[in-house]
Structures are given as C-alpha cells and as structure tokens.
Amino acid sequence: MRWPFLILALLIAGSCAQAGDDERAEIYLQRFFGECGAEFGRATDVSKAEGECGIITTMINKFNAQNPDIELSSNVVAWPGYPQLNAQMAARDPPDLVTMHTGLISDYAASDLIEPIGPYLAEAGLSPDALTDASRSAVALNGQLYGLPFDTHGGLFHINTKLFAQAGLMKNGKPVLPTSPEEFLSQSKQFTERTGKPYIIQSLVGDNAYAARNLYTYLLAQNAAFFPNAREIRLRTPEAERIVDLFRSITASGVSTRNQDTPAAIASFVGGEGGIYPTGTWMIGQFEKEAKQPGRPLYQSYAVYPYPRLWGEHVSYVSGHAWVVPKRKRTDKQRRAIARFFRFVADYNFDWARTGHLPAFKAVVESPAFAALPYRQGIASVATTGRPLPAGVQRQNAIEGLIGEEVAAAFNGQKSTKQALADAERRVNELFAELLPTSNN
C-alpha cells in the first residue's frame, strides 16, 4: 500500500527538482565580432585571449562559468547583424542583449525598440559618471543612456617612424606632426622629396568612411554647427570648404597615394610604402604584430597618434560599440541577469581594450595597466577629446556613405569642393526628408 505514496513522493520530488532547474534566469545574447569557437569555444582565461573574437568569446564563457544561476545563450551573426536584428524585432522576438554600433542607437531609440539602461546600471552598481566623456556621449539621447558603452573607436594617424626619421620629421624619438594646414603641406612635401614615397596613404576607393571621418573630425574641431538640428545638415560653409580644399591639395600635389581601396592601403603601409595611414583604432593590433617581426618593413618603426590639430580644438570624431537591451517582456530575474552581465562587462573592460579600441570607463583609461599596453599613452586622450555626431541624428551609416562618396570625389579631383559639398548636403537632406516624425527629435 505504500508504493503509490512512494511513487507520488518521487513525482513530487522530480517536479520540485525541475522547478528548481527552471529557477535559472535565461537571457539570450546576440553579437558580431566573428566566430572562433574552434579556438576559444572552451576558453575561460580572458587574459590569454587575443583579438576581438577571441576576447568576447572567452568573456562570455567566463560569465557562464561564474554565474551558474544564469543561462546565457549567445548567437554570432554575420557583421554587422542588423538585418537579422530587424527581422527579430519585427517578429517581436528580439534578443535580450545585442552589440550595436553607437551611431545606430538613435534609429532604434527613435522607434522605441530599445530600452534606456539606467535601471540596469543602478542594479549593477555602475554610475554613468564612471564612463569616459567620449563613450557616454555616444549613447546619450534625451537625457538617458540607451546602451552600455563597450569601447570608443575612431581614426588615428598610424605612422612609419623609420621613414619619418629619413624625412627629418622625428624629434626626441617622436614623429613631428603638423599643427596647421600650411605645415601639413610643407611637411608632406619634405617627406616625399627625402624618401621618394607618399607622405600619406589614402584609401579613397570604396572607403567612404575615410573621407567622412576627416570631414567630421575637423568640422567638430572648428565647432561648426553642421547639424543645426537632428533633421538637417549644413555643409556649404567656409569650415567645410577649407577641410576639403586641404585634402584635395594633398592628393593633387603628389604626396599621397591614389586609386587605392582599403586592402591596398593596408598593404602599402605594412610594406613600408608611405609615412602615414589614417585609419581606425582596430588596426593597432595588426600593425603592432608587424612592428615586432624582424625583417618586416615596420619592424621597430611604428607609432600611432590621434589626428593632429589643424584648426580650432584638438578633437577626434569617434563612434563605438555598445550593449543595448531591445524592448520585450522580461522577468525580474532576467533583468537582474542583464544587470549582472553589465557589471561583468565593466569589470573586463581592460581586456576588451587590448583589441586596440579605447576603454569605455575612466578608471581603465587612467590605469597603469592600460598605460603599459603598447602605444596606448599616445592615444588615451581620445577618450576625452573624442566626439560623436550630435545626439538624435538618425541614419548615420547612410549619411556617412553619402558624405564620404561626395567628399572623396573632391579629394580625388573628380568634383570641385563646392560642388561636392553642395551635392552631399542635398543628398543627406533628401534622406532626412524621408524620415517619419518621431518623438525623439
């Protein structure tokens, strides 16, 4: 007679155990940065991981190992991942956490598709004041933060110091960079005359970001109000003309490469075929490896610095990566799990900065460990001087493409400065005219 009661007891115990298993908070993370499970799929020592993919993969493994009460599943999407995210949002089944370029946050926030992260920061014990000026401004909109910044990235001057020495442009072991448009032209001429190589390597074919980044940086430096509001751009200005005229002169004077796309420009710099290659923070790791290999053109001949101040203030145009939280129904446990992941990301921000991107947190930028990384002391100022486009400007990727295409045509001499800027202004404002009204602008 006791068997029915024993069976019932076992069933109850089994159901309780199952209920206990279900106590784990399940959250779903979606990211880019590549797939490298074969090499790092089981790794949990973040300090030994290398590269964007290796570090982020190991970080997620480490988080799962340290948090057995949370089931964090992750999905790697092909870069940049937004078509898949948009489809998930349309189906009302988005992930809980997503990597996003900060320039796109305004689009998703304007459509009420992502949450402000203030409550998650508070739960995680993270103060917005702990963020660097550059990283915080990149995720701020209407007085709220819409993502946890992961880093800051932007353009830098990557420099071949051996060629700079040959050109007589080294002083106290550091490259001499121009401080005015006039010096830019005179130093470039001196460099090319003494080395027989181009002073600056430009990727002006199929790389609209390069031309747009130059324009943005030096417009911001001149404090130009080129976005008088979030739905209008103004480029037919003296400030914009002097920037385009300078780079147009650089290209025309024979001190620059011509007709190169990004792979060709990288190959030129790595091969020692030019003095400066203006490209992003993400290239530091690759160039650093070249600088450590005996016999390579960059061996012990590499340095990197922010864009030099040519007008106005010392400012760099920047963007970054952030973790955003798409809107959907969640339990309190899931929300606490997201907050714990935010805390974890902050704790490992130094390791992420080893990729070459600048840290998102002031304490990391100011730490001896960060300063000890190669070349970081020279670029740490970008965490303070870096500025994104004004908050609320939507369609930043598309705008970059339109502006970059027109400005590159002027740099190459295919259009006049005035025509290129007029065409860029018209095309961007036509794009703005197609946007629906939103409450965020």
Side-chain angles (χ1 to χ4, degrees):
M1 295 294 294
R2 294 182 179 180
W3 283 106
F5 294 102
L6 179 58
I7 293 172
L8 179 61
L10 289 172
L11 288 172
I12 292 173
S15 64
C16 288
Q18 186 175 356
D21 290 341
D22 289 342
E23 297 269 326
R24 299 177 72 193
E26 297 182 7
I27 54 175
Y28 170 43
L29 174 152
Q30 189 160 288
R31 67 166 184 84
F32 39 73
F33 299 122
E35 201 288 321
C36 51
E39 184 176 1
F40 295 100
R42 296 181 180 274
T44 56
D45 189 343
V46 182
S47 66
K48 293 181 179 179
E50 296 292 339
E52 289 181 332
C53 184
I55 292 173
I56 189 62
T57 300
T58 307
M59 284 178 63
I60 292 172
N61 294 343
K62 181 76 170 181
F63 179 83
N64 278 323
Q66 287 184 342
N67 297 275
D69 58 326
I70 297 174
E71 185 176 342
L72 173 64
S73 58
S74 59
N75 180 45
V76 181
V77 292
W79 191 92
Y82 302 116
Q84 182 168 332
L85 176 62
N86 294 342
Q88 292 165 320
M89 287 179 164
R92 299 185 180 180
D93 188 27
D96 295 293
L97 289 158
V98 179
T99 47
M100 183 172 287
H101 294 88
T102 55
L104 275 74
I105 285 178
S106 57
D107 292 294
Y108 288 88
S111 298
D112 200 31
L113 294 171
I114 57 176
E115 296 184 13
I117 64 159
Y120 297 105
L121 294 182
E123 175 72 22
L126 296 172
S127 169
D129 292 336
L131 299 167
T132 65
D133 294 343
S135 68
R136 183 177 178 177
S137 60
V139 298
L141 185 64
N142 297 328
Q144 301 193 79
L145 303 186
Y146 278 86
L148 176 68
F150 202 21
D151 58 44
T152 295
H153 60 249
L156 300 168
F157 267 29
H158 300 263
I159 300 164
N160 184 317
T161 55
K162 180 180 179 180
L163 291 177
F164 259 62
Q166 186 178 337
L169 292 173
M170 293 290 289
K171 184 177 182 181
N172 299 324
K174 295 183 178 181
V176 176
L177 294 177
T179 60
S180 69
E182 294 75 21
E183 283 189 357
F184 201 128
L185 291 167
S186 65
Q187 288 179 12
S188 64
K189 182 179 180 182
Q190 175 180 322
F191 180 97
T192 299
E193 287 177 347
R194 295 189 182 185
T195 68
K197 298 181 184 292
Y199 174 72
I200 186 169
I201 296 170
Q202 298 190 92
S203 54
L204 288 171
V205 177
D207 183 9
N208 294 332
Y210 165 72
R213 183 163 57 235
N214 290 356
L215 184 66
Y216 289 164
T217 288
Y218 289 118
L219 283 174
L220 291 167
Q222 295 176 81
N223 201 27
F226 59 109
F227 283 100
N229 60 71
R231 292 295 184 91
E232 179 187 1
I233 196 167
R234 187 176 298 156
L235 294 175
R236 292 181 293 174
T237 64
E239 294 91 346
E241 286 184 13
R242 61 175 63 109
I243 299 165
V244 177
D245 281 343
L246 172 63
F247 285 94
R248 182 184 177 88
S249 298
I250 288 289
T251 307
S253 62
V255 298
S256 162
T257 58
R258 299 186 70 121
N259 302 319
Q260 288 193 338
D261 60 9
T262 299
I266 292 172
S268 290
F269 185 71
V270 168
E273 293 301 319
I276 299 170
Y277 177 31
T279 188
T281 52
W282 50 88
M283 293 303 300
I284 290 176
Q286 180 176 336
F287 295 155
E288 179 187 348
K289 288 181 181 178
E290 289 287 327
K292 290 180 178 178
Q293 295 185 34
R296 299 293 293 166
L298 278 183
Y299 179 59
Q300 296 184 346
S301 301
Y302 172 61
V304 58
Y305 290 93
Y307 270 50
R309 185 190 68 81
L310 301 178
W311 297 277
E313 304 174 57
H314 203 150
V315 171
S316 296
Y317 163 69
V318 296
S319 185
H321 301 111
W323 292 98
V324 302
V325 182
K327 282 198 169 182
R328 64 174 302 163
K329 289 184 178 180
R330 293 184 179 89
T331 66
D332 290 341
K333 288 182 180 179
Q334 287 174 318
R335 292 184 174 278
R336 287 194 293 270
I338 292 172
R340 204 185 302 178
F341 183 79
F342 277 6
R343 178 78 247 182
F344 179 87
V345 167
D347 290 342
Y348 283 87
N349 194 229
F350 166 76
D351 285 284
W352 182 248
R354 293 190 290 109
T355 61
H357 303 309
L358 285 160
F361 289 85
K362 294 176 184 176
V364 180
V365 176
E366 297 166 358
S367 69
F370 180 73
L373 292 174
Y375 315 113
R376 293 334 192 261
Q377 292 188 56
I379 65 171
S381 61
V382 175
T384 302
T385 62
R387 294 183 193 170
L389 294 186
V393 174
Q394 297 178 50
R395 303 298 304 277
Q396 291 187 25
N397 276 8
I399 291 169
E400 179 181 276
L402 296 175
I403 290 176
E405 180 181 327
E406 296 295 344
V407 172
F411 288 2
N412 280 321
Q414 297 164 327
K415 285 189 177 185
S416 69
T417 294
K418 289 184 181 294
Q419 186 64 54
L421 290 172
D423 289 345
E425 180 181 290
R426 172 184 53 78
R427 293 176 69 186
V428 173
N429 284 330
E430 286 175 353
L431 177 66
F432 280 143
E434 296 173 0
L435 296 177
L436 296 173
T438 70
S439 59
N440 284 343
N441 292 291

